[in-house]
């Protein structure tokens, strides 16, 4: 019988081995690991703009096909939920984490290229274009394809997206544990492991609590609008939560989410339309994780998170999450470019961010899909209030417009 060794166990093993080997190995050995992290980090910088272009452009093109009000309400509520989750995470993290960290930072630990154990080689892999250029180009092409209905361009980007997704699932994700191993080996060599592990524990607990706070807010709102017990509604959606914990994929959980959402009493035609849509565009749990981890890494490296710098990041994150790759860790992959350009993350900070995010990716996914059920109920209630008639529901669904 073949035993599947998932990504999370591999990440955990990489961290443990990195700490152990980094604490005992000589500098010549650590430099080998630093060389790999340097080359792989440069490859990540190269691929990030392609990820943005490959996923956001076709994502916007397909969202733009819908002309019904149901799509507008669903998209608006998904975006507002994601933004609210990010703002909530910012204020909680900036008030909680500094108290636990006590002002401790990594001090002199810098990029692997300039740390005590330096890379043997400096292999530059310049991106084809910058992150912001990729974002602007993705929006331009996505809106253009939606407006013109260009089947040729959409087919091209569908295939391009498939290539990038294969690169993520077959190259980047399998190599991430080795990258994280190298980073932690270098950190252990430099004596910063204790601070990093204490940050992991604090952030992990805080994120899980924030996830459940966000879920309760969503179901309190859904229950109030529909005059139903939010705890009963939440209990109904629990199979979707636990399924997502195991699959780490919103898309793979759609059948269960859809079945449970129907049991909440929401209009079946609305749930059939919104649940698959929310699986793509609603990532409140992932946003909480990304913002919390980003603040933790920023504090650990001596930075000072401010709302003026994080709010634009949260707003852009809400858009970027629309087309996050549908693989474990896809949200953090899509966010790498924003972390570098808007928050100034360097290679080491990005590696810590990836490790922190992947450590609880399944919990973020579970929060995403559980929240989808609440949003489906909210959209159903709002559209039943006279803004969108039952006929328009049926018309949108009948015509297959999303």
């Amino acid at each position: 019988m073949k035993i599947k060794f998932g990504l999370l166990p591999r990440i955990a093993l990489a961290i443990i081995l990195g700490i152990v080997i980094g604490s005992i190995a000589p500098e010549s050995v650590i430099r080998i690991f630093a060389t790999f992290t340097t080359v792989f980090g440069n490859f990540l910088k190269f691929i990030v703009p392609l990820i943005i272009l490959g996923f956001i452009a076709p994502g916007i093109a397909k969202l733009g096909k819908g002309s019904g009000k149901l799509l507008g309400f669903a998209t608006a509520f998904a975006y507002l939920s994601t933004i609210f989750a990010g703002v909530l995470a910012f204020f909680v993290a900036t008030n909680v984490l500094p108290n636990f960290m006590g002002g401790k930072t990594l001090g002199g630990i810098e990029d692997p290229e300039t740390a005590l154990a330096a890379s043997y080689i400096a292999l530059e892999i310049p991106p084809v274009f910058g992150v912001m250029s990729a974002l602007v180009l993705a929006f331009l092409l996505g809106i253009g394809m939606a407006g013109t209905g260009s089947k040729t361009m959409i087919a091209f980007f569908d295939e391009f997206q498939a290539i990038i997704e294969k690169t993520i699932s077959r190259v980047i994700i399998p190599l991430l544990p080795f990258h994280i191993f190298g980073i932690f080996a270098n950190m252990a060599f430099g004596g910063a492991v204790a601070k990093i592990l204490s940050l992991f524990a604090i952030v992990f607990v805080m994120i899980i609590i924030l996830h459940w706070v966000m879920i309760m807010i969503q179901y309190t709102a859904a229950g109030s609008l529909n005059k139903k017990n939010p705890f009963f509604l939440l209990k109904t959606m629990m199979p979707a939560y636990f399924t997502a914990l195991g699959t780490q994929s919103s898309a793979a959980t759609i059948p269960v989410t859809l079945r449970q959402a129907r049991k909440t009493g929401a209009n079946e035609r609305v749930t059939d339309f919104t649940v698959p849509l929310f699986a793509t565009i609603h990532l409140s749990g992932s946003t909480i994780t990304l913002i919390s981890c980003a603040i933790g890494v920023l504090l650990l490296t001596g930075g000072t998170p401010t709302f003026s710098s994080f709010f634009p990041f949260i707003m852009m994150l809400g858009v970027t999450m629309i087309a996050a790759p549908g693989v474990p860790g896809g949200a953090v992959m899509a966010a790498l470019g924003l972390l570098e350009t808007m928050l100034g993350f360097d290679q080491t900070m990005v590696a810590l961010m990836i490790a922190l995010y992947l450590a609880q990716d399944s919990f973020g996914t579970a929060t995403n899909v559980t929240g989808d059920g609440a949003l489906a109920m909210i959209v159903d209630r709002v559209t039943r209030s006279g803004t969108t008639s039952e006929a328009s529901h049926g018309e949108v669904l009948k015509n297959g417009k999303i």
Side-chain angles (χ1 to χ4, degrees):
M1 181 179 176
K2 187 177 179 181
I3 300 176
K4 186 177 180 181
F5 197 47
L7 179 60
L8 181 56
R10 281 182 281 152
I11 294 292
L13 181 61
I15 292 172
I16 294 170
L17 289 178
I19 292 171
V20 172
I21 294 176
S23 301
I24 61 177
E27 182 176 352
S28 58
V29 174
I30 302 300
R31 289 187 67 186
I32 296 175
F33 305 141
T35 300
F36 174 80
T37 61
T38 299
V39 174
F40 187 77
N42 287 335
F43 176 71
L44 280 180
K45 291 179 182 178
F46 169 81
I47 201 70
V48 163
L50 301 181
I51 292 174
I52 292 171
L53 180 62
F55 282 90
I56 292 182
I60 292 175
K62 291 171 185 177
L63 284 179
K65 289 180 181 179
S67 57
K69 291 183 179 179
L70 185 59
L71 171 67
F73 278 112
T75 305
F77 281 119
Y79 185 73
L80 289 174
S81 175
T82 301
I83 299 305
F84 178 82
V87 172
L88 173 68
F90 173 83
F91 284 110
V92 172
T94 52
N95 283 281
V96 171
L97 292 182
N99 296 327
F100 283 95
M101 294 178 65
K104 297 178 181 179
T105 65
L106 292 180
I109 301 298
E110 302 172 1
D111 286 343
E113 298 97 323
T114 58
L116 291 175
S119 171
Y120 280 113
I121 60 174
L123 180 62
E124 294 293 332
I125 311 176
V128 178
F129 36 70
V131 170
M132 292 309 297
S133 296
L135 278 170
V136 173
L137 183 60
F139 275 98
L140 177 64
L141 292 176
I143 295 171
M145 286 186 287
T148 62
S150 173
K151 295 180 180 180
T152 303
M153 286 286 289
I154 291 177
F156 168 81
F157 272 99
D158 282 341
E159 294 185 10
F160 182 64
Q161 183 184 72
I163 293 172
I164 297 300
E165 192 166 59
K166 286 288 185 183
T167 303
I168 294 171
S169 61
R170 300 291 178 87
V171 179
I172 295 178
I173 296 298
L175 290 179
L176 272 179
F178 296 98
H179 182 54
I180 291 170
F181 165 82
I183 292 290
F184 273 82
N186 216 340
M187 293 290 187
F189 184 77
V193 168
K195 296 174 184 177
I196 296 172
L197 292 183
S198 63
L199 172 69
F200 268 51
I202 295 166
V203 172
F204 189 91
V205 173
M206 184 190 73
I207 286 173
I208 299 301
I209 294 173
L210 278 173
H211 282 166
W212 278 98
V213 169
M214 186 65 193
I215 289 173
M216 288 309 304
I217 291 173
Q218 290 169 332
Y219 277 88
T220 299
S224 299
L225 286 173
N226 290 275
K227 296 181 173 56
K228 294 183 178 180
N229 187 329
F231 293 101
F232 168 77
L233 298 175
L234 185 55
K235 180 182 177 181
T236 303
M237 292 301 300
M238 278 298 94
Y241 181 89
F242 288 109
T243 301
L245 279 180
T247 63
Q248 286 186 266
S249 169
S250 297
T253 314
I254 285 176
V256 179
T257 309
L258 192 56
R259 182 190 66 196
Q260 299 307 123
R262 290 169 177 170
K263 292 181 180 180
T264 62
N267 185 295
E268 185 172 322
R269 289 174 294 177
V270 175
T271 58
D272 289 354
F273 174 79
T274 57
V275 167
L277 178 65
F278 288 148
T280 301
I281 68 174
H282 178 232
L283 288 91
S284 56
S286 298
T287 301
I288 286 173
T289 305
L290 287 167
I291 298 301
S292 301
C293 292
I295 291 172
V297 170
L298 201 60
L299 291 171
L300 189 66
T301 52
T304 303
T306 62
F307 188 70
S308 60
S309 63
F310 264 81
F311 187 65
F313 173 71
I314 293 170
M315 298 289 286
M316 286 300 298
L317 198 61
V319 176
T320 304
M321 290 298 97
I322 287 176
V327 296
V332 72
M333 290 294 105
L336 290 184
L338 298 181
L339 288 168
E340 293 176 351
T341 57
M342 299 188 75
L343 298 183
F345 273 38
D346 59 28
Q347 186 173 326
T348 299
M349 296 168 75
V350 165
L352 289 174
M353 182 76 187
I354 293 172
L356 268 172
Y357 182 89
L358 291 178
Q360 65 73 65
D361 184 31
S362 58
F363 291 95
T365 302
T367 302
N368 294 339
V369 301
T370 307
D372 292 348
L375 288 195
M377 294 186 64
I378 292 173
V379 172
D380 177 43
R381 178 59 185 170
V382 170
T383 55
R384 277 192 290 115
S385 298
T387 308
T388 303
S389 65
E390 285 290 311
S392 64
H393 286 183
E395 183 181 351
V396 170
L397 296 167
K398 181 179 178 181
N399 293 332
K401 295 178 179 179
I402 298 179

